[in-house]
Amino acid sequence: MRAFPDARMEINEQIAEGDLVSTRKTLRGTHHGELWGLAPSGNHVEFEFIDIFRVADGLLIEHWTSMDLGALKSQMQRA
């Protein structure tokens, strides 16, 4: 990811039931590249998000994500 070249992803929890897999993750990195028109700030960012996948025959067939992009933008803009 160009905006956060040092990005690290931590899987906090992962749950599977039936054909669904749910994962809560934390992304950490430093804002070193432009994103959404925001110039690189050098700020460290950390935010959690949740992915839910539907799997069939070993393939991911659907995907949903829930994340607070406003919170991420706020961390990128801090002086």
Side-chain angles (χ1 to χ4, degrees), residues 10-31:
E10 177 184 351
I11 296 176
N12 306 104
E13 295 170 312
Q14 190 166 41
I15 301 166
E17 184 175 321
D19 63 350
L20 297 176
V21 178
S22 172
T23 306
R24 183 175 64 86
K25 303 175 182 107
T26 302
L27 179 128
R28 295 175 180 90
T30 310
H31 182 212

Side-chain angles (χ1 to χ4, degrees), residues 5 7 19-20 25 33-34 39 43 46 49-50 53 63 73-74:
D19 63 350
L20 297 176
K25 303 175 182 107
E34 184 177 335
N43 291 346
E46 178 175 323
F49 61 101
I50 296 172
F53 301 95
H63 173 225
K73 284 183 177 182
S74 176

Side-chain angles (χ1 to χ4, degrees), residues 3-75:
F4 308 101
D6 63 344
R8 297 171 316 283
M9 188 79 60
E10 177 184 351
I11 296 176
N12 306 104
E13 295 170 312
Q14 190 166 41
I15 301 166
E17 184 175 321
D19 63 350
L20 297 176
V21 178
S22 172
T23 306
R24 183 175 64 86
K25 303 175 182 107
T26 302
L27 179 128
R28 295 175 180 90
T30 310
H31 182 212
H32 285 304
E34 184 177 335
L35 182 62
W36 303 313
L38 297 173
S41 64
N43 291 346
H44 177 75
V45 300
E46 178 175 323
F47 75 105
E48 287 188 4
F49 61 101
I50 296 172
D51 283 316
I52 301 172
F53 301 95
R54 183 178 308 280
V55 181
D57 298 321
L59 300 173
L60 300 177
I61 59 171
E62 291 184 88
H63 173 225
W64 303 271
T65 298
S66 178
M67 64 178 68
D68 185 350
L69 294 178
L72 175 58
K73 284 183 177 182
S74 176
Q75 290 181 59

